[in-house]
Amino acid sequence: MSSETAPLVEAPKEVPKEASKEERPESAAKTTAEEAAVTQATPEVKKEEPAPEPPQENKAVAFTERGETPLENILAELPSIIKDVGHGEMWGVELSDGDHVPTTIVIEKFLKANNGNVTEAIVQLKKALKWRKEMNPAGLLANVEFDRSKFGDLGYVTVYPQTDGAVREIVTWNIYGAVKDLKSTFGNLEDFIKWRAALMELAVRELNLASATVKIPQDGVDPYRMIQVHDYLNVSFLRMDPAVKAASKETIQIFSMAYPELLKEKFFVNVPILMGWVFAAMKLFLSAETIKKFHPLSYGGSLAGELPALGDDLPTDYGGKGKDIQTGLTVQYTAEEAVKAE
């Protein structure tokens, strides 16, 4: 999660075949020009953020020469990182030290997102802490009522207990076919990002990272991740709309930075044919490893077959026999009466 999570990230079946740019359809060709523009702008964007200075890089190398692990390297730097940013909370976890299991889980995720590179992981961790300090996504979830007319019925979180009693599957649902007014939902980018961050924070809260007692296995499966489902049933307005594209790009960039390695699998169901531009945009900001977690499905009813561990617990619209997602968790919305009064 990342989390790696974006508002409109899906692709027709032919896109995940990693076709070359020359082989992409015309809609993707238009995106190629955008890719080039973004790529050319990347150095300037990076300059806006403090780049790791040579002393930090040298220090990281020195840690390696002393035989300490990447995790220990960052833990040693953690007090100064928190002091520099002025914020020490990440995903409900107050970052502490190596004896604090939730802290090690957070640091391991930033390390994995950067292929074990200590310097790059520290840079991303600082950016994420700064973003949380400024955005306060936990506060958005707890204290903000979002406009029901803009975002109502667009996002839910469902929790599925597993037979072993120890692991729960957390599924975040984005139902873009429920969008009532395109400009209203996506026109104000700041409002959309805040709503999307609150929904993500709701799913993260269900992971219970702050109370975790088991570290991420060194050579095993990370249990602290979630599934995301984006449903595009009856969606016909998303193909090239600039407001939608802006929301997609911004969400991909922010969430890949602020929620790394929280995504287990991502499914795009009822995918419209001409949505290849979204996949092309994702490839600009997400790693190849993350892209491998994305699975486009033509029909929502196919989802149960892709998630056999959940099976019948999924809603009927997705091949199961369980409750509708509307019975799941969601963010706070304005009352219906208040919306009608407006």
Side-chain angles (χ1 to χ4, degrees):
M1 166 143 353
S2 87
S3 242
E4 304 114 81
T5 98
L8 311 170
V9 282
E10 52 291 284
K13 286 191 174 181
E14 63 269 19
V15 175
K17 293 181 180 179
E18 298 295 334
S20 65
K21 292 181 180 179
E22 292 77 12
E23 296 172 333
R24 294 179 186 174
E26 182 180 353
S27 58
K30 295 180 180 180
T31 307
T32 303
E34 296 169 7
E35 291 180 66
V38 174
T39 303
Q40 292 172 2
T42 300
E44 296 180 5
V45 173
K46 289 185 177 180
K47 288 179 182 178
E48 295 177 1
E49 296 290 347
E53 299 177 358
Q56 292 176 313
E57 295 179 358
N58 293 337
K59 197 170 186 180
V61 172
F63 285 144
T64 303
E65 291 175 350
R66 290 203 302 268
E68 298 181 20
T69 67
L71 175 61
E72 291 171 336
N73 294 342
I74 297 185
L75 288 170
E77 293 291 300
L78 196 53
S80 63
I81 292 171
I82 294 173
K83 182 178 180 181
D84 289 346
V85 178
H87 186 79
E89 177 272 338
M90 181 63 66
W91 309 332
V93 175
E94 290 296 334
L95 299 178
S96 180
D97 54 35
D99 293 328
H100 186 232
V101 172
T103 296
T104 67
I105 292 171
V106 171
I107 302 304
E108 287 280 18
K109 288 181 178 292
F110 278 87
L111 275 168
K112 185 173 182 181
N114 290 279
N115 297 314
N117 185 300
V118 172
T119 301
E120 293 179 1
I122 288 176
V123 170
Q124 183 177 355
L125 177 60
K126 284 185 174 181
K127 288 181 180 180
L129 286 170
K130 181 180 179 181
W131 179 80
R132 292 189 71 82
K133 178 182 179 181
E134 296 173 350
M135 178 64 72
N136 188 17
L140 293 175
L141 175 62
N143 304 316
V144 175
E145 289 187 345
F146 292 92
D147 191 332
R148 188 182 298 272
S149 67
K150 292 183 178 180
F151 308 113
D153 299 323
L154 266 63
Y156 298 91
V157 174
T158 54
V159 182
Y160 300 98
Q162 299 300 288
T163 54
D164 59 11
V167 178
R168 305 187 307 163
E169 287 287 7
I170 313 299
V171 183
T172 302
W173 306 82
N174 290 110
I175 313 300
Y176 290 106
V179 172
K180 299 178 180 66
D181 184 274
L182 183 60
K183 291 183 179 179
S184 177
T185 298
F186 300 103
N188 188 317
L189 184 56
E190 182 179 359
D191 284 353
F192 180 85
I193 293 297
K194 286 181 177 180
W195 168 77
R196 190 64 184 81
L199 184 66
M200 183 66 178
E201 207 67 18
L202 176 60
V204 171
R205 187 183 70 183
E206 292 303 311
L207 289 174
N208 296 325
L209 295 178
S211 59
T213 57
V214 179
K215 294 183 178 182
I216 297 175
Q218 187 172 6
D219 298 314
V221 176
D222 180 353
Y224 305 107
R225 298 179 297 171
M226 67 186 74
I227 296 169
Q228 292 182 347
V229 178
H230 287 194
D231 190 342
Y232 294 89
L233 183 65
N234 297 324
V235 168
S236 60
F237 51 70
L238 303 178
R239 284 183 284 179
M240 298 296 290
D241 187 275
V244 175
K245 296 182 73 173
S248 295
K249 178 181 175 182
E250 186 75 2
T251 307
I252 293 168
Q253 287 180 298
I254 291 176
F255 282 38
S256 61
M257 174 276 295
Y259 297 98
E261 294 300 320
L262 289 175
L263 179 66
K264 182 177 181 180
E265 300 285 345
K266 195 181 193 83
F267 295 90
F268 310 98
V269 301
N270 300 310
V271 178
I273 297 300
L274 299 177
M275 294 288 290
W277 62 269
V278 180
F279 188 79
M282 288 190 300
K283 293 175 68 176
L284 295 176
F285 308 106
L286 303 178
S287 67
E289 192 65 28
T290 298
I291 295 294
K292 290 179 182 178
K293 300 175 183 178
F294 294 174
H295 311 288
L297 302 175
S298 298
Y299 303 101
S302 303
L303 185 61
E306 298 290 330
L307 296 171
L310 301 183
D312 289 346
D313 290 336
L314 289 173
T316 55
D317 289 343
Y318 302 99
K321 300 178 181 178
K323 298 179 180 179
D324 291 341
I325 58 173
Q326 286 81 3
T327 63
L329 306 171
T330 192
V331 301
Q332 299 182 76
Y333 291 109
T334 53
E336 290 283 1
E337 292 75 10
V339 174
K340 293 178 180 178
E342 294 176 0

